[in-house]
Amino acid sequence: MFAVSAYAWWRGGWVERVVAVTNIMAWIATSAFQDRTNWVDPQWAVFAVDVVFLGVLLVLVVKSTRTWIMPAAAFQLLLVVTHAAIIADPGVRARAYITALILWSYLVLITFAVGAHLHARVAARRLVRP
């Protein structure tokens, strides 16, 4: 999480930097608010953090021209929907809940890393051209 965010801050543009800062803040907040003793009930604080992160990504979808931000927002939406599933149906097992949250968060992170790298490549090409 930190390595991808640091790379995006270093090599990215304003969109990547906004996502990098938001990503680190969400990571810290999730670690601070996560209830590690009870995985059966919804993680309300983590749900709130994920909704805020989704909101930031959706604003960037509208305000920026980056194509990578849309799949990142889609994966983040799936993460929020996973929270909603356990809220709606307590029968969803803890293992499925945790696995889905991890899967979607990694897909957001991978999309973010690819987007930062693509932006860095495009920026480097602009510097090389006469």
Side-chain angles (χ1 to χ4, degrees), residues 6 11 14 24 27 41 48 61 72-73 75 80 85 87 91 98 101 107 115 118 121 124-125 129:
R11 299 295 305 232
W14 72 270
I24 293 296
W27 182 38
D41 295 325
V61 164
F75 291 132
V80 168
I87 291 166
I98 296 165
L101 293 180
L107 288 170
L118 292 175
R121 274 187 29 194
R125 284 186 188 159
R129 291 187 183 162

Side-chain angles (χ1 to χ4, degrees), residues 59-122:
V59 167
L60 291 172
V61 164
V62 173
K63 299 277 183 186
S64 76
T65 59
R66 304 288 199 281
T67 55
W68 67 265
I69 198 79
M70 200 170 302
F75 291 132
Q76 186 67 23
L77 176 62
L78 288 170
L79 200 133
V80 168
V81 168
T82 300
H83 283 291
I86 199 164
I87 291 166
D89 182 9
V92 175
R93 299 284 179 232
R95 185 177 183 110
Y97 181 46
I98 296 165
T99 303
L101 293 180
I102 291 169
L103 173 69
W104 300 133
S105 65
Y106 275 122
L107 288 170
V108 170
L109 190 63
I110 290 166
T111 306
F112 179 35
V114 169
H117 178 69
L118 292 175
H119 178 77
R121 274 187 29 194
V122 168

